[in-house]
Amino acid sequence: MALAALLALAGGARAADAARPVYLDPGQPVEARVADLLSRLTLDEKLALVHADSKFTTAALPRLGIPPRWMSDGPHGVREDVGPDTFVPAARTDDFSTYLPVAIALAATWNPDAARAYGDVIGDEARKRGKDIMLGPGVNIMRTPLNGRNFEFLGEDPFLAARLAVSYIRAVQAHDVAACIKHFAANNQETQRGTIDVEMDERTLREIYLPAFEAAVKEAHVWAVMGAYNELRGQHCCHNDYLLNQVLKGEWGFPGLVMSDWNGVHDTREAVFNGLDLEMGTNKPYAEYYLARPFRDGLGQGVYPLAALDEKVRRNLRVMIATHVLDGRPEGAINTAAHQAAARRVAEESIVLLKNAGATLPLDPSQLTSIAVIGENAVKLQAHSGGSSTLKAFYEVSPLEGILRRVGDRVNVTYSPGYRKDAAAELVGRAVAAAKAADVAVVICGLNHDGFDREGADRRDLKLPYGQDGLIQRVAAANPRTIVVLVSGSPVEMEAWIDRVPAVVEAWYGGMEGGNALAGVLFGDVNPSGKLPCTFPRRLEDTPTYAGGAPVFPGVNGAEHYEEGLLVGYRWYDTKAIEPLFPFGFGLSYTTFAYSNLRLVPGTDASGPVVTVQFDLANTGPRAGAEVAQVYVHQASPGLPRPAQELKGFQKISLPPGERQTISIPLDARAFAFYDPARHGWVAEQGTFTIQVGGSSRDLRLQGDFPLPRTIVEPAAAKD
Ligand code: BGC
């Protein structure tokens, strides 16, 4: 090409650049693009950006090349499409997705790298499915094992939940998809979830219910936060001045958007002034949403300042531009081999071996001629139920299918349901006969999403439904080699049979590869490495919210008082010296680990780690395996009362048999701190702290004292 022609081309490109508005120029800073786009919007275009125009979208602005924004549930995969104006499935054929193990299972991996792999699948599939904002992760703390949505969340400990949420969010957002952490805050039950007014003290809020959100904002830079349905201190969380304006945006400096939960908005004035940026799911025509016509009317009458609308729009545009909605994004992919492998890996790592007397597990197929598989959960598919987290899985390998695939036709596998809703007694009889005739009985039971682990209702008790206790007792009496596999999203009572069976496995809802993962553990291809992210109590009466009665849970006259305060999960059992059935952090392996040589290496600077916890971990058993080493901190004489111990560090370490590794886990000032409402900040007091390291909250093998040389105060409003 002639030089003149080339120059003309270059000139043309420059002219095009000059003509290109700033907001469409990826080379410009995000804030400049936001300001430019905001300046071009009419009042109605601005309003269109702060409320929905279908169940899961906001309107496109074609004049400016702004596409509709698509949101989708949910925490463990990209939900099937619904609507547009109803939750009834859209009956498409292109909206299948990878069904990952549910969030409580992810928590049981205790592995931030598993959370990264999980978020990576969700981000990739969200892009392929054309989604801009994914409604997860859910990080509401398991205050009571009765909460119907525990399966969607990350367990009872704020530190564990925070570490996993941060990895998950970073991985989702690496795909130019905004993650939306939910539900902010104190949404810890389904009973009266839309109206219950939660009262709790400030320390409890800061130390238990907010840290996962705080870490998501400060460390993972999450782009969206969903308000909770409930009220906190008399104000709905979707427009709660304290939570949204003061804490989230004020103290933590959150730059992204706050969206409501679906139908969680109740008042225009509060929605305008109290920190909400996007209204979703209101049960009204879209034009009548609180942030639609009523907002417009108020703006026209001068009741609301235009600056309030502009601020909301700015936040919506910031998320859009920062996630490159206007620049062209990765196309994404669904159901790839890598996604299937991630689903399987997370499932394998999540399975918790609770009991294994006499090395009943793993089973050796070459030593077996027959296995009696019993229980409805052996064949029940779980993806498509439970509430908003449901999805259309590409496939779902059931536990029975996983076992059949693993043992092929070398072993005679029989199946009998044993129980079912309204089961007839003959189901039990047939299962018992099958168990008697087989070398091994595997009872695959637990809960399901039909009436237990599901959105919209809490459980009434912790009992296994459908007469399963009796079934397990009878099967165990018929065959001493009875293995119980629990499929559930929250703890169940086991007193009726735990002493009568040699082996128990918690398999959670393991996603579409769950059956393969379970078979891997049962037959020893996979050495179990999951640890409980929540305490399994002996009985409901032992749980933190039980003693206080209805005013503490589930509330009376529309209000509920978190009187157990900080004593949630193991903080309760350990401080009150109540023996759980299985403690927080517990999980067996087919190998054994030895801990030795604890060293507490002090740091020098309050801004860096205060102390590094070093120790040696050795695999002393016959097989390769992974251990989750956990670090708990106890303060000898705190200025304010504290729980007996708190998790402040952990690491999952894979070791070949016979190998030893030195592990270093850094603890910063926050690891020693409590929240002091009087000082409005985190205080790590000078004095002695006991640091314990081990394989569960009740299996602490190493202990050392660390003298914190001086008091460190971190104001709540400090930016990281
Ligand atoms: C749930 C949210 C969910 C939303 C949209 C609500 O009922 O609480 O978690 O994201 O519905 O489906």
Side-chain angles (χ1 to χ4, degrees):
M1 193 184 293
L3 183 64
L6 272 177
L7 286 175
L9 255 187
R14 265 201 306 278
D17 265 1
R20 177 158 62 177
V22 169
Y23 79 92
L24 286 177
D25 182 353
Q28 295 288 333
V30 171
E31 291 310 309
R33 296 176 69 187
V34 169
D36 179 55
L37 182 48
L38 181 66
S39 74
R40 295 168 190 267
L41 297 173
T42 66
L43 182 66
D44 284 329
E45 286 168 342
K46 288 177 182 176
L47 284 162
L49 289 171
V50 300
H51 67 83
D53 79 331
S54 86
K55 280 290 174 216
F56 285 95
T57 57
T58 59
L61 303 177
R63 181 180 75 85
L64 294 156
I66 311 280
R69 252 182 316 174
W70 277 92
M71 286 145 241
S72 173
D73 287 301
H76 46 264
V78 186
R79 184 180 180 176
E80 74 187 300
D81 286 353
V82 301
D85 301 324
T86 117
F87 286 109
V88 174
R92 299 169 65 118
T93 53
D94 59 353
D95 58 350
F96 290 85
S97 70
T98 293
Y99 168 32
L100 292 154
V102 298
I104 191 86
L106 174 63
T109 68
W110 284 64
N111 189 349
D113 190 58
R116 181 203 50 73
Y118 194 103
D120 186 49
V121 173
I122 289 178
D124 209 15
E125 300 206 350
R127 278 313 312 131
K128 187 67 182 176
R129 294 266 313 274
K131 309 302 179 194
D132 304 291
I133 305 178
M134 282 303 297
L135 308 179
V139 295
N140 297 103
I141 293 296
M142 189 186 294
R143 175 177 180 240
T144 164
L146 295 175
N147 179 7
R149 291 187 88 175
N150 282 331
F151 75 98
E152 283 188 67
F153 306 141
L154 295 168
E156 73 185 26
D157 181 72
F159 183 80
L160 177 62
R163 294 338 311 149
L164 298 171
V166 164
S167 289
Y168 176 130
I169 292 163
R170 283 185 178 144
V172 171
Q173 296 194 161
H175 290 270
D176 284 342
V177 172
C180 178
I181 194 165
K182 65 191 188 183
H183 309 81
F184 192 66
N187 184 178
N188 305 112
Q189 67 187 53
E190 289 300 279
T191 309
Q192 295 185 306
R193 68 176 181 176
T195 53
I196 194 82
D197 178 24
V198 172
E199 300 292 333
M200 73 170 99
D201 65 86
E202 188 64 14
R203 265 188 84 194
T204 300
L205 181 67
R206 298 283 182 154
E207 292 186 29
I208 304 292
Y209 296 103
L210 295 191
F213 292 100
E214 184 180 1
V217 170
K218 291 182 175 176
E219 294 179 53
H221 306 292
V222 71
W223 276 120
V225 172
M226 185 189 293
Y229 277 131
N230 50 287
E231 296 185 4
L232 180 80
R233 299 177 185 157
Q235 197 163 56
H236 271 104
C237 292
C238 289
H239 30 79
N240 186 299
D241 177 62
Y242 182 65
L243 282 175
L244 302 179
N245 285 337
Q246 297 184 46
V247 176
L248 177 69
K249 295 181 177 177
E251 292 179 11
W252 300 347
F254 174 64
L257 69 88
V258 173
M259 75 172 74
S260 70
D261 200 342
W262 271 233
N263 203 32
V265 180
H266 304 271
D267 182 79
T268 296
R269 164 167 282 277
E270 289 193 1
V272 170
F273 289 117
N274 292 355
L276 183 73
D277 303 305
L278 176 56
E279 179 184 2
M280 298 300 300
T282 304
N283 285 340
K284 292 172 184 270
Y286 305 109
E288 294 302 317
Y289 271 35
Y290 295 95
L291 290 184
R293 188 194 50 77
F295 191 12
R296 195 183 204 289
D297 288 351
L299 286 163
Q301 293 152 7
V303 180
Y304 307 127
L306 187 60
L309 173 60
D310 282 352
E311 172 61 5
K312 295 180 198 308
V313 174
R314 205 175 283 118
R315 286 173 176 274
N316 279 277
L317 295 180
R318 187 177 291 132
V319 175
M320 200 182 278
I321 287 172
T323 53
H324 303 117
V325 169
L326 304 181
D327 307 336
R329 289 169 287 175
E331 197 196 330
I334 42 176
N335 197 29
T336 63
H339 294 181
Q340 294 170 8
R344 181 152 177 178
R345 171 205 170 182
V346 175
E348 288 175 349
E349 281 200 45
S350 75
I351 293 172
V352 184
L353 180 60
L354 293 173
K355 180 172 181 183
N356 195 20
T360 301
L361 290 172
L363 299 171
D364 179 351
S366 69
Q367 304 293 312
L368 294 175
T369 54
S370 56
I371 303 175
V373 176
I374 295 163
E376 191 185 33
N377 277 347
V379 295
K380 192 170 174 71
L381 302 185
Q382 311 278 3
H384 205 245
S385 50
S388 60
S389 65
T390 60
L391 43 84
K392 238 156 80 179
F394 281 104
Y395 60 85
E396 183 176 343
V397 180
S398 71
L400 178 62
E401 190 183 343
I403 291 170
L404 288 169
R405 284 188 189 190
R406 176 60 180 78
V407 299
D409 45 20
R410 288 189 303 274
V411 181
N412 177 30
V413 179
T414 63
Y415 171 67
S416 31
Y419 71 90
R420 226 185 266 134
K421 201 174 183 173
D422 312 319
E426 80 236 22
L427 284 184
V428 180
R430 266 187 268 147
V432 169
K436 197 172 257 166
D439 294 341
V440 177
V442 183
V443 184
I444 302 180
C445 53
L447 304 175
N448 55 42
H449 296 304
D450 300 349
F452 308 97
D453 290 313
R454 61 147 182 191
E455 191 173 341
D458 297 318
R459 278 190 292 165
R460 282 193 302 275
D461 57 46
L462 299 181
K463 305 218 176 301
L464 284 175
Y466 316 133
Q468 293 176 69
D469 283 344
L471 171 72
I472 297 169
Q473 286 173 345
R474 288 196 49 200
V475 169
N479 189 330
R481 279 179 89 188
T482 292
I483 295 150
V484 174
V485 175
L486 293 164
V487 174
S488 74
S490 43
V492 297
E493 288 176 0
M494 303 179 210
E495 293 267 85
W497 45 264
I498 186 76
D499 294 331
R500 305 185 191 193
V501 298
V504 183
V505 172
E506 173 57 74
W508 316 108
Y509 301 105
M512 68 189 201
E513 286 284 341
N516 287 332
L518 175 64
V521 166
L522 293 178
F523 296 101
D525 317 319
V526 173
N527 191 347
S529 64
K531 300 269 188 173
L532 292 180
C534 53
T535 308
F536 274 44
R538 285 187 184 280
R539 56 188 83 81
L540 179 63
E541 290 80 348
D542 292 345
T543 59
T545 57
Y546 187 85
V552 171
F553 174 82
V556 282
N557 299 328
E560 170 182 44
H561 299 263
Y562 282 26
E563 274 167 20
E564 75 287 357
L566 298 165
L567 301 185
V568 175
Y570 65 91
R571 288 166 168 79
W572 166 264
Y573 300 95
D574 295 347
T575 309
K576 300 280 183 186
I578 298 169
E579 194 63 31
L581 180 59
F582 297 109
F584 176 75
F586 177 80
L588 300 170
S589 165
Y590 296 148
T591 188
T592 48
F593 295 96
Y595 289 76
S596 62
N597 204 12
L598 179 70
R599 283 143 289 157
L600 302 175
V601 185
T604 48
D605 185 351
S607 61
V610 170
V611 60
T612 299
V613 180
Q614 281 186 2
F615 53 94
D616 295 340
L617 182 76
N619 181 344
T620 48
R623 307 170 164 249
E627 167 72 326
V628 178
Q630 303 162 38
V631 177
Y632 293 84
V633 172
H634 160 83
Q635 185 174 1
S637 349
L640 293 177
R642 300 190 68 169
Q645 59 174 359
E646 295 171 74
L647 178 77
K648 295 299 173 185
F650 64 88
Q651 193 176 319
K652 190 165 197 171
I653 306 116
S654 294
L655 281 178
E659 279 215 4
R660 174 186 309 269
Q661 198 176 310
T662 298
I663 310 300
S664 293
I665 299 181
L667 300 182
D668 60 11
R670 185 67 85 88
F672 297 94
F674 55 77
Y675 186 83
D676 185 349
R679 293 204 234 183
H680 202 60
W682 295 88
V683 180
E685 291 177 319
Q686 176 185 21
T688 304
F689 290 84
T690 305
I691 294 175
Q692 289 186 284
V693 183
S696 94
S697 61
R698 298 239 172 167
D699 177 23
L700 296 165
R701 317 269 191 90
L702 304 173
Q703 175 175 328
D705 281 348
F706 171 69
L708 190 64
R710 62 185 181 83
T711 296
I712 303 167
V713 181
E714 178 200 340
K719 300 258 170 65
D720 275 2

